[in-house]
Amino acid sequence: MIDLHSHILPGVDDGARSLEEARSLARAAVADGVRAIAATPHVRHDYPTTAARMEEGVRELRGDLAREGIELEVLQGGEVSVDEIDNLSTDDLRRFTLGEGRRYLLLEFPDWGWPLALDGIIATLLHADLVPVLAHPERNVDVQGDPGRLAAPVSEGALVQVTASSLTGSGGRSARAAARRLLGQGLVHLLASDAHGSLIRRSSLGEAAGAVGDPRLARFLTVDVPAAIAAGQPLPSRPEARGFGARLAHKWR
């Protein structure tokens, strides 16, 4: 699997606090079946990570994991707050894209309130040939009340990333219900761990893939789409829903 949302860079934000903690997170990812992970530190007012700092941290972590014999590819990225878009140059936004593909940009969706500027942000990014990937919108209270509200930004060209813990239920019942409804409505494009340090939220991407209940769809969400995003390529076609996925689609269509 390919995990395109993590806070594995040590000492940068609220994720891994030390190099040893980053190694522990990397080992856990490998044991879970992850072969590549994107380091996506927060880019917002309380964690003003620069593109240069992210790039330096990725280079250092790659070297350390290689020396430790941890077979996990570390990809570049960033989790950019919607409030920071106007404060960053197009070049910096491209440097924060997932997997150095210079096309797909992970946007931090707030847990509270619908971002009023979202339509404009999506349009601005698409005009710059950048595809917004909305991170964990199922945790947003407004989305939990009406998951179908995400159909509009998806139709405009945005992608949706659901967190593994939401789908498995360890992120709470409301997030789980919203994740299941989004999955049933075909509004989820990829799953990711959003893994933090050992004392903060951890989630198994493998468990989330199992919770999808459809091996073909699970592969689409954890392998096929993330691989295309990391390479900066168009997304593959979504497989026809079967089993649990088909039952969800019938329930929430």
Side-chain angles (χ1 to χ4, degrees), residues 38-40 54 75-78 80 90-106 129-131 229-230:
T40 54
M54 177 274 295
L75 307 174
Q76 292 190 175
V80 182
T90 301
D91 180 64
D92 277 341
L93 291 175
R94 290 198 187 283
R95 291 167 72 181
F96 278 121
T97 52
L98 295 165
E100 303 172 59
R102 300 184 69 81
R103 187 176 184 190
Y104 296 90
L105 183 70
L106 188 68
D129 199 27
L130 292 167
V131 180
I229 289 176

Side-chain angles (χ1 to χ4, degrees), residues 158-190:
L159 306 181
V160 170
Q161 174 258 302
V162 160
T163 303
S165 62
S166 296
L167 193 57
T168 61
S170 60
R173 288 195 293 180
S174 295
R176 180 174 183 264
R180 287 165 60 91
R181 290 187 66 177
L182 290 171
L183 192 63
Q185 293 173 13
L187 296 176
V188 181
H189 301 87
L190 68 155

Side-chain angles (χ1 to χ4, degrees), residues 72-135:
L72 179 67
E73 182 181 2
V74 181
L75 307 174
Q76 292 190 175
E79 184 182 10
V80 182
S81 167
V82 294
D83 296 329
E84 289 297 312
I85 294 296
D86 291 338
N87 298 327
L88 297 169
S89 68
T90 301
D91 180 64
D92 277 341
L93 291 175
R94 290 198 187 283
R95 291 167 72 181
F96 278 121
T97 52
L98 295 165
E100 303 172 59
R102 300 184 69 81
R103 187 176 184 190
Y104 296 90
L105 183 70
L106 188 68
L107 294 185
E108 182 176 24
F109 205 88
D111 288 348
W112 299 89
W114 184 270
L116 298 179
L118 184 61
D119 288 349
I121 290 171
I122 291 174
T124 297
L125 292 176
L126 291 174
H127 183 71
D129 199 27
L130 292 167
V131 180
V133 181
L134 306 182

Side-chain angles (χ1 to χ4, degrees), residues 6-249:
S6 81
H7 297 269
I8 193 173
L9 287 189
V12 176
D13 57 9
D14 59 346
R17 296 169 300 176
S18 66
L19 189 53
E20 183 53 45
E21 200 166 78
R23 293 170 183 160
S24 177
L25 201 158
R27 292 187 180 99
V30 171
D32 194 36
V34 174
R35 67 171 179 83
I37 191 168
T40 54
H42 288 296
V43 182
R44 63 190 195 199
H45 71 281
D46 53 344
Y47 296 112
T49 311
T50 64
R53 176 66 185 90
M54 177 274 295
E55 291 164 349
E56 177 187 14
V58 168
R59 286 194 296 271
E60 293 175 348
L61 185 58
R62 284 172 176 168
D64 181 80
L65 296 186
R67 288 189 293 273
E68 291 291 317
I70 302 173
E71 297 183 355
L72 179 67
E73 182 181 2
V74 181
L75 307 174
Q76 292 190 175
E79 184 182 10
V80 182
S81 167
V82 294
D83 296 329
E84 289 297 312
I85 294 296
D86 291 338
N87 298 327
L88 297 169
S89 68
T90 301
D91 180 64
D92 277 341
L93 291 175
R94 290 198 187 283
R95 291 167 72 181
F96 278 121
T97 52
L98 295 165
E100 303 172 59
R102 300 184 69 81
R103 187 176 184 190
Y104 296 90
L105 183 70
L106 188 68
L107 294 185
E108 182 176 24
F109 205 88
D111 288 348
W112 299 89
W114 184 270
L116 298 179
L118 184 61
D119 288 349
I121 290 171
I122 291 174
T124 297
L125 292 176
L126 291 174
H127 183 71
D129 199 27
L130 292 167
V131 180
V133 181
L134 306 182
H136 51 63
E138 79 285 352
R139 294 180 354 211
N140 178 279
V141 175
D142 286 24
V143 173
Q144 290 173 359
D146 181 14
R149 191 172 182 181
L150 280 174
V154 168
S155 68
E156 293 166 7
L159 306 181
V160 170
Q161 174 258 302
V162 160
T163 303
S165 62
S166 296
L167 193 57
T168 61
S170 60
R173 288 195 293 180
S174 295
R176 180 174 183 264
R180 287 165 60 91
R181 290 187 66 177
L182 290 171
L183 192 63
Q185 293 173 13
L187 296 176
V188 181
H189 301 87
L190 68 155
L191 302 177
S193 70
D194 191 12
H196 282 63
S198 61
L199 299 180
I200 310 176
R201 177 179 56 250
R202 280 192 178 185
S203 185
S204 165
L205 194 55
E207 289 181 11
V212 171
D214 179 342
R216 294 171 68 249
L217 181 57
R219 179 180 174 84
F220 175 81
L221 299 171
T222 61
V223 179
D224 300 340
V225 169
I229 289 176
Q233 299 297 318
L235 300 193
S237 299
R238 180 183 297 270
E240 182 180 351
R242 294 179 180 176
F244 174 71
R247 293 195 296 274
L248 278 181

